[in-house]
mmCIF file of all heavy atoms in Angstrom:
data_model
loop_
_atom_site.group_PDB
_atom_site.id
_atom_site.type_symbol
_atom_site.label_atom_id
_atom_site.label_comp_id
_atom_site.label_asym_id
_atom_site.label_seq_id
_atom_site.Cartn_x
_atom_site.Cartn_y
_atom_site.Cartn_z
ATOM 1 N N ALA W 68 20.917 -0.704 -85.973
ATOM 2 C CA ALA W 68 22.142 -0.641 -86.769
ATOM 3 C C ALA W 68 21.795 -0.976 -88.211
ATOM 4 O O ALA W 68 21.191 -2.006 -88.485
ATOM 5 C CB ALA W 68 23.185 -1.610 -86.226
ATOM 6 N N ARG W 69 22.182 -0.075 -89.106
ATOM 7 C CA ARG W 69 21.946 -0.300 -90.538
ATOM 8 C C ARG W 69 23.283 -0.479 -91.221
ATOM 9 O O ARG W 69 24.212 0.290 -90.985
ATOM 10 C CB ARG W 69 21.198 0.892 -91.135
ATOM 11 C CG ARG W 69 19.777 1.009 -90.589
ATOM 12 C CD ARG W 69 19.190 2.306 -90.979
ATOM 13 N NE ARG W 69 19.843 3.315 -90.122
ATOM 14 C CZ ARG W 69 19.377 4.525 -89.908
ATOM 15 N NH1 ARG W 69 18.308 4.934 -90.515
ATOM 16 N NH2 ARG W 69 19.995 5.349 -89.106
ATOM 17 N N ARG W 70 23.350 -1.465 -92.075
ATOM 18 C CA ARG W 70 24.590 -1.762 -92.800
ATOM 19 C C ARG W 70 24.587 -1.070 -94.153
ATOM 20 O O ARG W 70 23.548 -0.674 -94.661
ATOM 21 C CB ARG W 70 24.723 -3.269 -93.010
ATOM 22 C CG ARG W 70 24.943 -4.017 -91.729
ATOM 23 C CD ARG W 70 25.104 -5.504 -92.033
ATOM 24 N NE ARG W 70 25.479 -6.204 -90.843
ATOM 25 C CZ ARG W 70 26.716 -6.606 -90.571
ATOM 26 N NH1 ARG W 70 27.679 -6.385 -91.419
ATOM 27 N NH2 ARG W 70 26.978 -7.237 -89.460
ATOM 28 N N GLY W 71 25.768 -0.992 -94.723
ATOM 29 C CA GLY W 71 25.905 -0.497 -96.088
ATOM 30 C C GLY W 71 25.958 1.020 -96.187
ATOM 31 O O GLY W 71 26.045 1.738 -95.205
ATOM 32 N N ARG W 72 25.894 1.461 -97.435
ATOM 33 C CA ARG W 72 25.971 2.896 -97.715
ATOM 34 C C ARG W 72 24.819 3.619 -97.021
ATOM 35 O O ARG W 72 23.667 3.226 -97.123
ATOM 36 C CB ARG W 72 25.901 3.115 -99.217
ATOM 37 C CG ARG W 72 26.125 4.529 -99.620
ATOM 38 C CD ARG W 72 26.144 4.613 -101.147
ATOM 39 N NE ARG W 72 26.294 5.976 -101.575
ATOM 40 C CZ ARG W 72 27.429 6.504 -101.994
ATOM 41 N NH1 ARG W 72 28.512 5.752 -102.056
ATOM 42 N NH2 ARG W 72 27.495 7.754 -102.366
ATOM 43 N N GLY W 73 25.138 4.671 -96.337
ATOM 44 C CA GLY W 73 24.124 5.399 -95.592
ATOM 45 C C GLY W 73 23.742 4.719 -94.287
ATOM 46 O O GLY W 73 22.810 5.131 -93.614
ATOM 47 N N GLY W 74 24.454 3.671 -93.951
ATOM 48 C CA GLY W 74 24.159 2.939 -92.721
ATOM 49 C C GLY W 74 24.769 3.608 -91.511
ATOM 50 O O GLY W 74 25.328 4.698 -91.589
ATOM 51 N N GLY W 75 24.645 2.963 -90.407
ATOM 52 C CA GLY W 75 25.180 3.481 -89.158
ATOM 53 C C GLY W 75 24.237 3.156 -88.023
ATOM 54 O O GLY W 75 23.333 2.326 -88.150
ATOM 55 N N LEU W 76 24.445 3.813 -86.921
ATOM 56 C CA LEU W 76 23.656 3.574 -85.721
ATOM 57 C C LEU W 76 22.616 4.660 -85.544
ATOM 58 O O LEU W 76 22.885 5.831 -85.797
ATOM 59 C CB LEU W 76 24.564 3.542 -84.495
ATOM 60 C CG LEU W 76 25.708 2.539 -84.530
ATOM 61 C CD1 LEU W 76 26.619 2.752 -83.337
ATOM 62 C CD2 LEU W 76 25.169 1.125 -84.551
ATOM 63 N N ALA W 77 21.452 4.260 -85.085
ATOM 64 C CA ALA W 77 20.393 5.219 -84.799
ATOM 65 C C ALA W 77 19.670 4.783 -83.538
ATOM 66 O O ALA W 77 19.453 3.583 -83.316
ATOM 67 C CB ALA W 77 19.411 5.302 -85.961
ATOM 68 N N LEU W 78 19.313 5.743 -82.731
ATOM 69 C CA LEU W 78 18.508 5.479 -81.555
ATOM 70 C C LEU W 78 17.067 5.269 -81.997
ATOM 71 O O LEU W 78 16.556 6.026 -82.821
ATOM 72 C CB LEU W 78 18.606 6.684 -80.615
ATOM 73 C CG LEU W 78 18.448 6.456 -79.131
ATOM 74 C CD1 LEU W 78 19.417 5.409 -78.620
ATOM 75 C CD2 LEU W 78 18.636 7.749 -78.383
ATOM 76 N N THR W 79 16.417 4.251 -81.507
ATOM 77 C CA THR W 79 15.019 3.998 -81.853
ATOM 78 C C THR W 79 14.122 4.924 -81.032
ATOM 79 O O THR W 79 14.588 5.590 -80.100
ATOM 80 C CB THR W 79 14.637 2.537 -81.556
ATOM 81 O OG1 THR W 79 14.728 2.322 -80.140
ATOM 82 C CG2 THR W 79 15.529 1.561 -82.304
ATOM 83 N N SER W 80 12.843 4.935 -81.352
ATOM 84 C CA SER W 80 11.921 5.748 -80.555
ATOM 85 C C SER W 80 11.879 5.228 -79.119
ATOM 86 O O SER W 80 11.785 6.017 -78.176
ATOM 87 C CB SER W 80 10.527 5.777 -81.178
ATOM 88 O OG SER W 80 9.994 4.482 -81.262
ATOM 89 N N LEU W 81 11.981 3.906 -78.938
ATOM 90 C CA LEU W 81 12.073 3.357 -77.587
ATOM 91 C C LEU W 81 13.311 3.903 -76.889
ATOM 92 O O LEU W 81 13.265 4.273 -75.717
ATOM 93 C CB LEU W 81 12.123 1.824 -77.621
ATOM 94 C CG LEU W 81 12.474 1.139 -76.293
ATOM 95 C CD1 LEU W 81 11.398 1.409 -75.250
ATOM 96 C CD2 LEU W 81 12.674 -0.351 -76.494
ATOM 97 N N GLY W 82 14.420 3.966 -77.607
ATOM 98 C CA GLY W 82 15.662 4.474 -77.032
ATOM 99 C C GLY W 82 15.547 5.910 -76.559
ATOM 100 O O GLY W 82 16.112 6.288 -75.543
ATOM 101 N N ARG W 83 14.803 6.722 -77.265
ATOM 102 C CA ARG W 83 14.640 8.127 -76.877
ATOM 103 C C ARG W 83 13.735 8.306 -75.661
ATOM 104 O O ARG W 83 13.959 9.175 -74.845
ATOM 105 C CB ARG W 83 14.079 8.932 -78.036
ATOM 106 C CG ARG W 83 15.058 9.046 -79.164
ATOM 107 C CD ARG W 83 14.629 10.076 -80.195
ATOM 108 N NE ARG W 83 15.547 10.051 -81.300
ATOM 109 C CZ ARG W 83 16.758 10.595 -81.298
ATOM 110 N NH1 ARG W 83 17.171 11.218 -80.239
ATOM 111 N NH2 ARG W 83 17.549 10.513 -82.349
ATOM 112 N N ARG W 84 12.716 7.463 -75.558
ATOM 113 C CA ARG W 84 11.756 7.644 -74.464
ATOM 114 C C ARG W 84 11.954 6.658 -73.310
ATOM 115 O O ARG W 84 11.232 6.695 -72.323
ATOM 116 C CB ARG W 84 10.334 7.566 -74.992
ATOM 117 C CG ARG W 84 9.881 6.227 -75.459
ATOM 118 C CD ARG W 84 8.437 6.226 -75.956
ATOM 119 N NE ARG W 84 7.894 4.905 -76.061
ATOM 120 C CZ ARG W 84 8.191 4.023 -77.004
ATOM 121 N NH1 ARG W 84 9.037 4.338 -77.954
ATOM 122 N NH2 ARG W 84 7.638 2.834 -77.019
ATOM 123 N N ALA W 85 12.943 5.788 -73.435
ATOM 124 C CA ALA W 85 13.181 4.766 -72.410
ATOM 125 C C ALA W 85 13.530 5.402 -71.070
ATOM 126 O O ALA W 85 14.269 6.380 -70.994
ATOM 127 C CB ALA W 85 14.305 3.832 -72.842
ATOM 128 N N SER W 86 13.012 4.792 -70.036
ATOM 129 C CA SER W 86 13.371 5.199 -68.679
ATOM 130 C C SER W 86 14.825 4.782 -68.432
ATOM 131 O O SER W 86 15.225 3.663 -68.756
ATOM 132 C CB SER W 86 12.452 4.494 -67.688
ATOM 133 O OG SER W 86 13.023 4.449 -66.402
ATOM 134 N N VAL W 87 15.595 5.673 -67.863
ATOM 135 C CA VAL W 87 16.989 5.351 -67.547
ATOM 136 C C VAL W 87 17.026 4.228 -66.504
ATOM 137 O O VAL W 87 17.873 3.344 -66.566
ATOM 138 C CB VAL W 87 17.752 6.599 -67.069
ATOM 139 C CG1 VAL W 87 19.160 6.249 -66.627
ATOM 140 C CG2 VAL W 87 17.782 7.650 -68.174
ATOM 141 N N GLY W 88 16.070 4.234 -65.577
ATOM 142 C CA GLY W 88 15.994 3.157 -64.588
ATOM 143 C C GLY W 88 15.789 1.805 -65.240
ATOM 144 O O GLY W 88 16.454 0.823 -64.888
ATOM 145 N N TRP W 89 14.875 1.746 -66.212
ATOM 146 C CA TRP W 89 14.635 0.492 -66.936
ATOM 147 C C TRP W 89 15.896 0.050 -67.664
ATOM 148 O O TRP W 89 16.287 -1.119 -67.621
ATOM 149 C CB TRP W 89 13.483 0.669 -67.944
ATOM 150 C CG TRP W 89 13.350 -0.492 -68.877
ATOM 151 C CD1 TRP W 89 12.736 -1.682 -68.612
ATOM 152 C CD2 TRP W 89 13.868 -0.597 -70.209
ATOM 153 N NE1 TRP W 89 12.838 -2.518 -69.711
ATOM 154 C CE2 TRP W 89 13.535 -1.868 -70.700
ATOM 155 C CE3 TRP W 89 14.588 0.272 -71.031
ATOM 156 C CZ2 TRP W 89 13.892 -2.298 -71.975
ATOM 157 C CZ3 TRP W 89 14.937 -0.152 -72.304
ATOM 158 C CH2 TRP W 89 14.593 -1.437 -72.756
ATOM 159 N N LEU W 90 16.533 0.997 -68.342
ATOM 160 C CA LEU W 90 17.721 0.673 -69.118
ATOM 161 C C LEU W 90 18.842 0.144 -68.215
ATOM 162 O O LEU W 90 19.483 -0.860 -68.530
ATOM 163 C CB LEU W 90 18.178 1.913 -69.897
ATOM 164 C CG LEU W 90 19.247 1.733 -70.942
ATOM 165 C CD1 LEU W 90 18.893 0.644 -71.938
ATOM 166 C CD2 LEU W 90 19.472 3.053 -71.680
ATOM 167 N N VAL W 91 19.055 0.791 -67.089
ATOM 168 C CA VAL W 91 20.106 0.341 -66.168
ATOM 169 C C VAL W 91 19.763 -1.044 -65.607
ATOM 170 O O VAL W 91 20.630 -1.909 -65.511
ATOM 171 C CB VAL W 91 20.338 1.368 -65.041
ATOM 172 C CG1 VAL W 91 21.260 0.806 -63.961
ATOM 173 C CG2 VAL W 91 20.924 2.654 -65.613
ATOM 174 N N ARG W 92 18.497 -1.268 -65.268
ATOM 175 C CA ARG W 92 18.099 -2.598 -64.785
ATOM 176 C C ARG W 92 18.405 -3.663 -65.835
ATOM 177 O O ARG W 92 18.908 -4.746 -65.519
ATOM 178 C CB ARG W 92 16.604 -2.630 -64.476
ATOM 179 C CG ARG W 92 16.192 -2.028 -63.171
ATOM 180 C CD ARG W 92 14.676 -2.154 -62.993
ATOM 181 N NE ARG W 92 14.187 -1.459 -61.841
ATOM 182 C CZ ARG W 92 13.752 -0.192 -61.840
ATOM 183 N NH1 ARG W 92 13.750 0.527 -62.942
ATOM 184 N NH2 ARG W 92 13.320 0.358 -60.722
ATOM 185 N N GLU W 93 18.071 -3.373 -67.091
ATOM 186 C CA GLU W 93 18.309 -4.337 -68.161
ATOM 187 C C GLU W 93 19.791 -4.586 -68.387
ATOM 188 O O GLU W 93 20.207 -5.717 -68.654
ATOM 189 C CB GLU W 93 17.660 -3.849 -69.464
ATOM 190 C CG GLU W 93 16.152 -3.846 -69.437
ATOM 191 C CD GLU W 93 15.555 -5.228 -69.272
ATOM 192 O OE1 GLU W 93 16.040 -6.175 -69.921
ATOM 193 O OE2 GLU W 93 14.604 -5.364 -68.483
ATOM 194 N N LEU W 94 20.591 -3.550 -68.293
ATOM 195 C CA LEU W 94 22.030 -3.686 -68.529
ATOM 196 C C LEU W 94 22.748 -4.340 -67.354
ATOM 197 O O LEU W 94 23.681 -5.116 -67.543
ATOM 198 C CB LEU W 94 22.648 -2.319 -68.830
ATOM 199 C CG LEU W 94 22.201 -1.671 -70.139
ATOM 200 C CD1 LEU W 94 22.623 -0.204 -70.180
ATOM 201 C CD2 LEU W 94 22.749 -2.422 -71.333
ATOM 202 N N GLU W 95 22.315 -4.035 -66.153
ATOM 203 C CA GLU W 95 22.966 -4.569 -64.954
ATOM 204 C C GLU W 95 22.474 -5.966 -64.600
ATOM 205 O O GLU W 95 23.175 -6.721 -63.945
ATOM 206 C CB GLU W 95 22.723 -3.641 -63.757
ATOM 207 C CG GLU W 95 23.508 -2.354 -63.803
ATOM 208 C CD GLU W 95 24.995 -2.556 -63.571
ATOM 209 O OE1 GLU W 95 25.389 -3.292 -62.641
ATOM 210 O OE2 GLU W 95 25.782 -1.965 -64.338
#
Side-chain angles (χ1 to χ4, degrees):
R69 293 169 286 198
R70 292 182 173 258
R72 186 176 177 101
L76 304 173
L78 209 55
T79 65
S80 60
L81 169 64
R83 292 192 185 283
R84 69 179 196 286
S86 159
V87 175
W89 170 81
L90 190 53
V91 171
R92 281 181 187 92
E93 292 297 317
L94 293 167
E95 287 289 314

